[in-house]
Amino acid sequence: MEPTPEQSPHHAYPDHWEADVVLRDGGTARIRPITTDDAERLVSFYEQVSDESKYYRFFAPYPRLSDRDVHRFTHHDYVDRVGLAVTIGGEFIGTVRYDRIDDTGRPASAPADEAEVAFLVQDAHQGRGVASALLEHIAAVARERGIRRFAAEVLPANNKMIKVFRDGGYTQRRSFEDGSVHLTLDLEPTEKSLAVQRGREQRAEARSVQRLLAPGSVAVIGAGRNHGGVGRTVLRNLLAAGFTGRAYAVNRAFDEGLATLDGVPAHRSLGEIDEQVDLAVIAVPAHRVPEAVADCGEHGVQGLVVLSAGYAERGADGRELQRELVRQARSYGMRIIGPNAFGIINTAESVRLNASLAPESPARGRIGLFTQSGAIGIALLSGLHRRGAGLSSFISAGNRADVSGNDFLQYSFEDPDTDVALLYLESLGNPRKFTRLARRTAAVKPVVVVKGARHSGSTPPGHAVPVSRIPDATVSALMRQAGVIRVDTVTEMVDAGLLLAGQPLPAGPRVAILGNSESLGLLTYDACLAEGLRPRPPIDLTTAASPQDFRDALAEALADGTCDAVIVTAIPWVGENGEAETGDGQVLAKALTRAVAGGSAKPVAVVHVEIGGLAEALAAASSTAAPRPRTVTSAARTRAATTATTTQTTTTGTPAAQATTTGTGTPAAPEATTAPATPDATTAPEAAPRPGRIPAYPAAERAVRALAEAVKYAQWRRQAAVPGKVPEFLDDTIDEAGAAALIEAQLSTAPDPRGRPLTHDEARELLGRYGVDVRPTLPAPDPEAAVDAAARLGYPVALKTTAPHLRHRADLGGVRLDLADEEALRRACGDLTDLLGKPAELLPVVQAMAPRGVDTVVRASIDAAAGAVLSFGLAGAPSELLGDTAHRLVPATDRDAAELIRSIRAAPVLFGWRGSAPVDTAALEELLLRLSRLVDDHPEVVSVALEPVVVAPQGLTVLGASVRLAPPPARNDLGPRRLPNY
């Protein structure tokens, strides 16, 4: 909405304050500034508020608003006086306003930093979290306008409003004056207020998905009388699955006399249905969708699944149609799956929903599946069904215009029917939020992701998301830091999902291998070594082994404390007549399931070759479909949230406490280590271990890869139970205010919005504020200047070029080291100019020599999609040619820093490889933490490169530094809750 000329001309309408939000019950609403055009809406809204609520707002009977009131409440300057409204269907359901005041409580302007705030919510919408959402947004607006405190007068009987302020998480003071409660809120965000905000976000977004997946009634709009159409197919699938709610067929083309279709009531519009419809599946041409959405919104439908195509996948015009579709649906408080979606499935016995194009609903199971591709969704459903796996829920989001993978993670986190979340993603609309949610979810259940469109360099058709500049390998490392199991193919995703859903988590990497084929056992052994596991020598049961022999050997391996997992390899065994038994997989399946019937705490996987019916028999004998008592308690949710915000670790190369979990959460016996075993404190309570589905694989490599992912994930879970921290000693040696002043001064001289690089001396000064000392250099434009510089710095010195095309290129001869005296320095000056060109082109400098050590590179950069990333590698070929670089998200903890330097392949060079002296890794870790703090405290620092950093046995030396400043990129993961606009 645009302001009218009556509004303050020097403050334009702040359209960036507009936001769509999810309310507590899962419905959506829009928050926007109030304008002068809202007078009638305000009056209508006020007329629907009860007398009691009016009394609480004005402290006196106030039956109607006067013309003066209406003018005051709709005319704002968007600085000292601001009003926000929450709307559904274009009508107000709640309002909030603030007025800036001085110390005496009178109207004021800046620099006064306090404002009086007041709320009013329509009675019919109280309890939906409207006031809480308004508080978040009005507080953000106030901070933007320089207001630091809110003051509010509340009647003691107005408990709901007092609770809104109390539960917001802000620092507050309370007093009782003149018959009312006086509240003062400090608006500076706190850890508590952020936790409250994210907790509300999680519950609201999870509820919004739950409403879609568990409707009480479904209308299929576009179900035609002819067989074979999309709408009719969905209707039949819905009925075939045994949907427990009420179903309706809706099509405006139906004859007036048509009463039923496929046995369900048939209607020409939703208005003909006597009851409220919870979910509408829209299967009409794109040009008719707006009419259908309006019909749904006007009749109280809670959510939409839009199967119709013809949107953003068709280009710019389609993208605008898609945006308008989302705006229209959200204006009525509805969320959308799609458009161009394949549908949704919920196998819960109380729902049995198949509102999709899948002809057969999958069996009930413990796996939740989200996909952005209908074709991939079909393949995954087919693959899981073929291998006997069940699903708890399935969402195919199509163009993902609204409901996304982030929403699915919010739902999966506390869904008691889901033990493993599988996601096929082609884009990440909000990568920072995804990482945060994935880290929290992974703390209680595995999250397995396949990322499509990894190397295309473009956004998939239909998706509008930030384009990341970082390599896919970096994205993978950051996902693993968040506990995500990142795999490359949908086959690997199914392989890992089957193991994680049906088997305990391994306590470590030690693997027992047993079977009736020596060759297959050796292949499995080699595959284990290739994946970083520690296999024991294979146990060959010989080809004459019977199912009973398998059972006995497996039971013995499960009881053996020297292994953490078991892989059974099987080929057809030889019967009494000497012929191979190829078809009796049921006998072997029964023997194996009986061996694990005692509730093993170790995972078991089977590799089989040409044993007919074995995989099916294992699936039937012990299915993922068996219900597992599981509740995510508030305490578990809090611990998971703590993990999500404080731990960022993922590596298999560092020692860690070896306490483990079974299934997806129960602690199991620890492997002996030097560190004390620590139970996983972030997992939800779970029943005692039970026999799970034993996954079967047709190739050793696939089984071992799935097991290796489980080992790495289990280690991440153990480490996540004890979060890392930022050492306190950093606070005593960091001048945050001084750095901020330097940055502000440097940016003020750079009119270019892209910012500017700092000179060497400017970079040294800024880094010095954070305790990072960069060894000084002095210019050497000629031999005399070089000699003078060396005299000031002290011999021995280095002479090196700083021209951009020669920087850090010692291989081109632009660096001369260990120049011990004037004669050597003059000779080096001559050599450089003779070899590479004139001094004006080379820009040579002199620098004092650093102690010998290992040359490394430390970098930090801000990526528009992923956020701030800290990187480390060895200087030269290892990182530049081989890509041997490790990455962590900022802010980094002490554990992140320690693992960062240990996770590169060349890490042994730092720890005394081939008899060399180990370097000072503690100093290196401290440097990483200091740089992390710098870019976290000052988002204007968009890139830093420290190269080389020479790490010696004692201490380190930073020889080169480059820093670039720019206005900070927009953050879509901070501030008040809001739905993304794609």
Side-chain angles (χ1 to χ4, degrees), residues 572-646:
W573 60 93
V574 178
E576 294 181 359
N577 58 2
E579 295 182 1
E581 298 285 349
T582 61
D584 201 1
Q586 293 184 356
V587 178
L588 179 57
K590 183 180 295 185
L592 296 178
T593 53
R594 285 179 175 175
V596 301
S600 168
K602 299 176 184 178
V604 177
V606 174
V607 178
H608 67 99
V609 177
E610 297 299 329
I611 300 184
L614 175 60
E616 294 79 2
L618 286 171
S622 49
S623 171
T624 60
R628 179 180 305 178
R630 181 185 182 90
T631 304
V632 178
T633 63
S634 59
R637 188 180 294 114
T638 301
R639 292 193 295 269
T642 302
T643 298
T645 56
T646 60

Side-chain angles (χ1 to χ4, degrees), residues 178-535:
D178 299 327
S180 66
V181 178
H182 181 80
L183 296 169
T184 302
L185 275 71
D186 292 333
L187 299 183
E188 187 66 28
T190 64
E191 287 188 13
K192 182 178 179 181
S193 68
L194 185 60
V196 167
Q197 176 179 314
R198 289 179 172 173
R200 288 171 173 164
E201 173 192 67
Q202 188 277 321
R203 291 187 292 273
E205 293 179 358
R207 173 61 179 157
S208 73
V209 176
Q210 194 270 341
R211 294 205 316 179
L212 291 163
L213 287 172
S217 56
V218 176
V220 180
I221 301 177
R225 298 189 63 176
N226 296 327
H227 298 286
V230 172
R232 186 69 175 272
T233 299
V234 172
L235 179 62
R236 288 195 166 182
N237 293 343
L238 181 71
L239 299 176
F243 177 55
T244 59
R246 297 166 302 283
Y248 302 94
V250 178
N251 193 324
R252 68 176 186 177
F254 284 160
D255 296 334
E256 291 187 8
L258 182 67
T260 63
L261 185 70
D262 288 337
V264 303
H267 300 278
R268 292 167 57 88
S269 70
L270 287 175
E272 297 179 1
I273 301 175
D274 294 334
E275 64 171 345
Q276 177 179 312
V277 172
D278 296 330
L279 175 70
V281 180
I282 299 179
V284 300
H287 69 275
R288 287 182 48 202
V289 170
E291 175 188 350
V293 172
D295 193 21
C296 292
E298 291 167 2
H299 292 91
V301 173
Q302 296 180 350
L304 307 174
V305 176
V306 181
L307 307 182
S308 311
Y311 288 90
E313 75 277 7
R314 296 288 181 89
D317 292 342
R319 188 180 301 281
E320 186 52 42
L321 282 176
Q322 183 168 297
R323 289 171 176 158
E324 181 55 37
L325 168 64
V326 174
R327 285 192 290 264
Q328 183 187 16
R330 288 180 179 174
S331 72
Y332 288 109
M334 299 182 294
R335 299 211 68 181
I336 294 178
I337 291 175
N340 197 25
F342 185 73
I344 61 176
I345 297 173
N346 183 354
T347 64
E349 188 63 27
S350 60
V351 182
R352 299 201 298 271
L353 172 74
N354 180 7
S356 78
L357 295 171
E360 184 175 354
S361 184
R364 187 182 176 197
R366 312 294 305 173
I367 297 173
L369 176 60
F370 177 92
T371 172
Q372 288 179 329
S373 163
I376 296 296
I378 295 171
L380 285 168
L381 288 174
S382 175
L384 288 165
H385 174 73
R386 187 171 59 253
R387 298 178 67 178
L391 291 180
S392 58
S393 58
F394 166 76
I395 294 178
S396 171
N399 291 2
R400 201 217 56 208
D402 182 20
V403 173
S404 68
N406 286 347
D407 297 295
F408 185 73
L409 284 176
Q410 300 277 40
Y411 170 78
S412 299
F413 171 67
E414 60 180 21
D415 177 32
D417 294 330
T418 298
D419 285 344
V420 180
L422 307 184
L423 296 92
Y424 171 79
L425 305 174
E426 293 181 346
S427 60
L428 295 175
N430 189 337
R432 292 172 177 171
K433 181 177 179 180
F434 174 82
T435 302
R436 170 169 57 85
L437 300 186
R439 182 182 297 117
R440 185 198 56 203
T441 304
V444 294
K445 60 186 68 173
V447 177
V448 187
V449 171
V450 173
K451 176 69 168 62
R454 292 179 295 162
H455 306 296
S456 64
S458 61
T459 302
H463 297 196
V465 297
V467 177
S468 175
R469 299 185 302 272
I470 60 178
D472 181 69
T474 305
V475 175
S476 182
L478 299 180
M479 281 192 176
R480 289 195 177 277
Q481 182 187 357
V484 173
I485 300 171
R486 169 80 182 273
V487 294
D488 293 330
T489 68
V490 292
T491 300
E492 292 178 355
M493 179 164 71
V494 172
D495 287 346
L498 291 176
L499 181 70
L500 292 163
Q503 292 295 301
L505 293 178
R510 302 169 303 176
V511 182
I513 303 169
L514 61 92
N516 62 351
S517 168
E518 182 180 10
S519 298
L520 189 53
L522 290 175
L523 287 173
T524 306
Y525 182 89
D526 291 341
C528 286
L529 291 176
E531 292 293 338
L533 301 177
R534 290 161 49 191

